[in-house]
Amino acid sequence: MTTIEVPRGHLRSALTAVLPHAGRETEETPNLGRVRLVADAGALLVWATDHRTSAFARVEGPEYTEAELPSWDMPADAVKKVLQVFKGPSDADARQMWADEPMKIHVGTSRVTFTEVGAILDGQSLTVGRIVPAGEDRYPDVPRELLTLSGAILDAPTTTARLNLEALARFVPAAKAYAGGVTALANLVPGHGLHRALVRLGHAFLGSVPAYPDASHDTAAVDESSHEQHAWWVDILKPQMRPLPIEVPGDVVDDLRAQAEAIFRTEEGGTARVTLHVVRDGAPR
């Protein structure tokens, strides 16, 4: 079991911001309806997607009790329970004090426990189930999506775009949670596939939403601050991308097998008894 402590208010803001993007688990979308949490050295990272919109948030100031930092998925319903239980007082001053206090997270093999840690006595505690991984990780690679989109926007001029209001409304909880204005940069460059806009709230939150060209406006250059923030987000997103699967062509495998057989063939025309194991660089044996 790993124990993590983060400020209560920061954790609540991150979960509130990404939950609207988690989607639903169905037969057609068995990997949705969840929120992913990754314990990084500098922050607890939280993200979710339903393929239409995506959201990625950071919880600063974590403290860990284990050297091995975990990552885990929680069902959307479990995240809702966490937000329902840990709300803080209604009074503004008392609520701010509550938000600054730590939340202890015990991450077990099948369950996660959230506990309000107090100076004298601990507060409320809630245990919810987590999604136990089985087989290959097929959850959408949100860090790769956002990093690719951000790079495509900065590689070429962008234009003013129309955004779907219903999809954009999913970012209202994020704007409220972080009390900030939303900046949207649109990727409308021909050849990049589906048009999308990058939704950004400073260094706390990043997301994507479908976008549509608006021919009534001229092309606008991306300002310098966007490049600076892009570079900052690259450092956060790049280590979280899942490695792309390596596919070796069949003819290459056949050629390597033929070379191996030639190497181990004896001078008398027989063959040595050997067992060959094919491993990928950096992958477990």
Side-chain angles (χ1 to χ4, degrees):
M1 178 179 288
T2 300
T3 301
I4 306 170
E5 284 194 14
V6 293
R8 301 174 191 172
H10 290 189
L11 177 65
R12 180 175 173 83
S13 293
L15 295 178
T16 299
V18 305
L19 182 59
H21 308 268
R24 292 193 310 113
E25 179 184 2
T26 66
E27 292 185 2
E28 292 76 20
T29 57
N31 298 301
L32 298 186
R34 64 181 66 184
V35 172
R36 174 157 295 186
L37 296 94
V38 175
D40 189 62
L44 177 63
L45 307 177
V46 187
W47 66 78
T49 185
D50 66 352
H51 296 301
R52 191 182 188 197
T53 61
S54 300
F56 185 105
R58 299 174 63 256
V59 182
E60 295 183 345
E63 295 183 4
Y64 305 113
T65 60
E66 298 289 339
E68 183 176 353
L69 304 181
S71 63
W72 73 98
D73 291 354
M74 290 176 55
D77 288 341
V79 176
K80 290 179 183 177
K81 291 180 181 178
V82 172
L83 293 175
Q84 289 170 354
V85 171
F86 303 106
K87 294 182 177 180
S90 57
D91 177 74
D93 292 337
R95 182 180 178 84
Q96 185 58 50
M97 293 179 60
W98 173 89
D100 292 337
E101 292 295 317
M103 176 79 75
K104 182 178 292 185
I105 308 172
H106 291 285
V107 184
T109 55
S110 61
R111 304 183 73 79
V112 183
T113 299
F114 296 82
T115 304
E116 296 173 334
V117 182
I120 301 177
L121 297 174
D122 290 346
Q124 298 189 86
S125 182
L126 174 68
T127 299
V128 295
R130 57 171 285 192
I131 297 174
V132 180
E136 183 182 355
D137 182 11
R138 296 185 179 277
Y139 189 65
D141 195 343
V142 174
R144 183 177 298 277
E145 176 210 344
L146 295 177
L147 186 60
T148 302
L149 174 59
S150 179
I153 288 175
L154 295 177
D155 284 344
T158 60
T159 61
T160 302
R162 294 181 292 109
L163 306 181
N164 180 278
L165 186 59
E166 179 185 356
L168 189 60
R170 299 181 186 180
F171 295 91
V172 172
K176 291 181 177 179
Y178 293 108
V182 173
T183 299
L185 299 174
N187 168 24
L188 301 177
V189 182
H192 281 96
L194 179 65
H195 297 321
R196 303 190 67 80
L198 193 70
V199 180
R200 191 178 63 208
L201 279 159
H203 290 168
F205 178 88
L206 203 64
S208 70
V209 62
Y212 309 92
D214 187 350
S216 63
H217 291 77
D218 296 330
T219 299
V222 179
D223 59 25
E224 183 177 349
S225 65
S226 294
H227 285 274
E228 294 175 353
Q229 291 215 21
H230 167 71
W232 190 89
W233 276 109
V234 165
D235 293 337
I236 300 298
L237 293 170
K238 199 168 184 178
Q240 304 305 323
M241 294 191 301
R242 191 164 54 246
L244 293 174
I246 300 174
E247 297 184 1
V248 182
D251 57 342
V252 174
V253 174
D254 293 340
D255 183 57
L256 291 174
R257 183 179 292 111
Q259 292 182 46
E261 291 175 353
I263 291 172
F264 291 105
R265 188 174 293 117
T266 64
E267 293 182 358
E268 290 75 13
T271 56
R273 183 177 298 276
V274 296
T275 301
L276 299 180
H277 296 279
V278 179
V279 297
R280 295 173 179 171
D281 185 25
R285 295 184 63 87

